[in-house]
Amino acid sequence: MKEIILQGQAQQMRAAVFEEGELVEVHEEEGAFTHLVGNIYRGRVENVLPGMQAAFVDIGLEKNAFLYVADAVPPSFEDDPRSKTKPLPRIEQVLKPRQELLVQITKEPFATKGARITTNITIPGRYTVLMPKTDYIGVSRRISDEEERNRLRELAKNISPQGMGVIIRTLAEGVEGKELEDDLKKLLELWYHIIEKLPHASVPGLVHEDVDLLSRMLREWIDSKVEALTVNQTEVADGLRNTLRKLGHPAANHVRLVYKENLFEDYSVDEEIRKALRPKVWLKSGGYLVIQQTEALTVIDVNTGKYIGKSSLEHTVLHTNCEAAEEIARQLRLRNYGGIIIIDFIDMTSEEDQKQVLTTLEKACAQDKVKCQIMGLTQLGLVEMTRKKVGQTLAARYGKPCPVCEGLGWTLK
């Protein structure tokens, strides 16, 4: 079961996503929490750096944005044979100082780093993604049925605008062609509206701002697993019901209105956030995780803690590791950690037990909309995985480094 809690307070809107009663994601929108990913800007190239094969672009934010050469040329796709024959050009062949560009933010600014941007604009809808600058046709990898993939691919070819690309999203599985066409038509109208605004937009400056939190929720999170939505504002509840009815979603009948200013209190959301800002995470069995984030990667250590098991050491270790695998997937989503992740599970001698733990981790990560890739065990018995970096971490949104220890966690005697 999936439930979404929406809490409106003053000018702030916050959303919490629960799966099987566990908090897995928190989103908010106001002030410093404003969502930047997806925004489109007119920018000006400030510096071209051949040694980094990248450029810094002024888009009007506090820090210049970072544009890597691969994001400044037409994109490569793993299943497109044409892309395998095209080596990347050098950045100085693509960009020149003072050159004006239309770019889109793909990663939020973080700490001392500016936003990461791309010239490959994408306009996402509920069922489709419009790519105005490439003619690629793709289908979400999460749709595994080959017959359905072929059906959707053919539909995409038929409805795609000439010279533009379309990606069919996971939510489109089982959706009829008319709905896909209507969805894409709205995106095309939005793109033409953006083009019309270009001559009147300043350089650097914002051209198009991505949709607000409520609209993103309807676009990204409302899937077949959502069974309930709980909100504390009448107008929000009415708007959700009307939109969900138009989409034919059964959750339209399960929008619950609770007149309470701090709705998150009933669901212990803020308490879960406080726990997720600590390095130690206790498991229900009595074992625990220690999660440490560094500049380059995130390291997770698994320990049996208070759990002593019942039958054998092997069973105790397997039970702790499987429970840890599920919790690790939840913590990565909740904390929004990305990049390289190294997990030190408790040593297992049985290959069958190792496979079971990896399978548990893969299954738990499959629930994550952000792309995760599990590489397997290293020679040292560590599990390597990656998770795409999207947006700011929970710690960056709700905290700041200690001015005394500068994030070390220790002070000198």
Side-chain angles (χ1 to χ4, degrees):
M1 177 185 171
K2 186 174 177 180
E3 182 178 6
I4 298 175
I5 315 300
L6 280 165
Q7 175 178 285
Q9 281 182 318
Q11 299 302 311
Q12 186 185 54
M13 179 63 72
R14 301 176 70 194
V17 182
F18 285 80
E19 290 180 0
E20 307 303 328
E22 297 278 0
L23 180 67
V24 293
E25 293 177 34
V26 179
H27 304 271
E28 58 281 300
E29 199 158 69
E30 184 213 35
F33 293 142
T34 299
H35 182 81
L36 294 178
V37 170
N39 287 0
I40 298 173
Y41 296 81
R42 287 187 74 184
R44 182 183 291 115
V45 177
E46 292 294 310
N47 308 97
V48 176
L49 308 172
M52 294 179 65
Q53 283 302 288
F56 285 105
V57 181
D58 183 4
I59 60 174
L61 299 182
E62 185 179 346
K63 296 184 178 70
N64 286 343
F66 181 82
L67 177 61
Y68 180 56
V69 65
D71 297 316
V73 296
S76 297
F77 299 97
E78 293 177 13
D79 56 348
D80 186 352
R82 294 175 299 175
S83 65
K84 295 180 174 61
T85 60
K86 295 180 181 178
L88 285 174
R90 292 190 59 79
I91 190 69
E92 60 267 33
Q93 296 172 329
V94 180
L95 299 174
K96 298 288 185 281
R98 309 301 294 173
Q99 181 178 342
E100 293 181 6
L101 300 171
L102 186 66
V103 297
Q104 186 173 39
I105 292 183
T106 57
K107 289 182 183 176
E108 303 268 356
F110 176 69
T112 59
K113 296 180 180 179
R116 183 160 175 174
I117 55 175
T118 180
T119 60
N120 298 305
I121 308 297
T122 57
I123 312 291
R126 180 168 172 81
Y127 302 123
T128 61
V129 177
L130 175 67
M131 298 184 295
K133 298 191 174 184
T134 180
D135 61 353
Y136 173 77
I137 301 294
V139 178
S140 167
R141 291 180 178 273
R142 289 177 179 268
I143 300 175
S144 55
D145 183 84
E146 201 58 38
E147 188 176 334
E148 177 66 359
R149 290 182 64 84
N150 291 334
R151 181 187 77 90
L152 291 170
R153 189 180 297 276
E154 286 304 312
L155 283 173
K157 287 178 181 177
N158 293 332
I159 65 175
S160 62
Q162 188 174 3
M164 298 186 187
V166 176
I167 293 178
I168 302 296
R169 306 188 68 182
T170 309
L171 286 172
E173 188 168 10
V175 172
E176 297 300 321
K178 181 66 167 60
E179 292 177 81
L180 298 183
E181 189 174 2
D182 290 345
D183 188 63
L184 189 61
K185 185 179 178 181
K186 291 176 185 175
L187 301 183
L188 196 59
E189 289 173 355
L190 176 57
W191 172 244
Y192 288 143
H193 179 63
I194 291 169
I195 295 298
E196 286 175 4
K197 289 198 298 184
L198 275 180
H200 311 290
S202 61
V203 184
L206 179 68
V207 177
H208 168 71
E209 189 171 11
D210 195 23
V211 294
D212 61 18
L213 181 65
L214 278 175
S215 300
R216 284 206 314 278
M217 183 193 73
L218 289 163
R219 186 181 73 192
E220 309 286 347
W221 314 328
I222 303 289
D223 54 22
S224 59
K225 296 178 182 176
V226 174
E227 295 183 14
L229 294 105
T230 304
V231 300
N232 69 342
Q233 293 182 334
T234 305
E235 62 275 19
V236 174
D238 292 340
L240 283 174
R241 291 189 190 102
N242 291 334
T243 305
L244 291 171
R245 285 193 187 104
K246 289 178 183 176
L247 293 171
H249 199 292
N253 299 319
H254 300 284
V255 177
R256 190 164 66 105
L257 181 60
V258 177
Y259 292 105
K260 188 169 184 179
E261 186 177 1
N262 192 358
L263 187 57
F264 275 22
E265 191 176 80
D266 290 352
Y267 291 83
S268 303
V269 174
D270 290 326
E271 177 59 29
E272 284 295 313
I273 290 172
R274 281 191 285 273
K275 288 180 181 178
L277 296 176
R278 301 168 188 159
K280 183 179 281 189
V281 179
W282 285 99
L283 304 175
K284 291 177 182 177
S285 65
Y288 65 90
L289 312 174
V290 176
I291 304 175
Q292 296 284 358
Q293 190 181 36
T294 71
E295 181 110 10
L297 50 82
T298 299
V299 182
I300 303 175
D301 186 32
V302 182
N303 299 277
T304 53
K306 303 172 185 176
Y307 181 56
I308 57 174
K310 292 181 180 179
S311 56
S312 66
L313 175 61
E314 289 77 12
H315 179 269
T316 301
V317 170
L318 178 60
H319 182 273
T320 306
N321 282 340
C322 285
E323 186 183 17
E326 292 181 347
E327 184 62 23
I328 286 167
R330 184 178 85 92
Q331 289 293 327
L332 292 177
R333 288 178 68 183
L334 182 55
R335 297 173 186 232
N336 200 26
Y337 283 172
I340 300 169
I341 298 153
I342 305 295
I343 308 170
D344 185 9
F345 284 107
I346 304 167
D347 289 341
M348 296 169 284
T349 55
S350 165
E351 286 189 16
E352 186 178 337
D353 288 356
Q354 292 173 355
K355 288 180 181 177
Q356 187 174 337
V357 171
L358 286 175
T359 300
T360 303
L361 181 62
E362 288 171 355
K363 189 176 178 181
C365 287
Q367 307 302 313
D368 194 344
K369 288 187 180 295
V370 177
K371 184 180 179 181
C372 297
Q373 191 170 1
I374 297 166
M375 312 301 184
L377 284 163
T378 68
Q379 289 183 334
L380 293 174
L382 305 172
V383 172
E384 290 181 335
M385 68 172 286
T386 61
R387 184 176 185 268
K388 186 178 178 181
K389 289 184 177 180
V390 179
Q392 294 183 328
T393 64
L394 198 71
R397 283 149 50 195
Y398 284 92
K400 58 183 179 181
C402 171
V404 177
C405 71
E406 296 182 350
L408 182 65
W410 295 81
T411 54
L412 296 175
K413 294 182 179 178

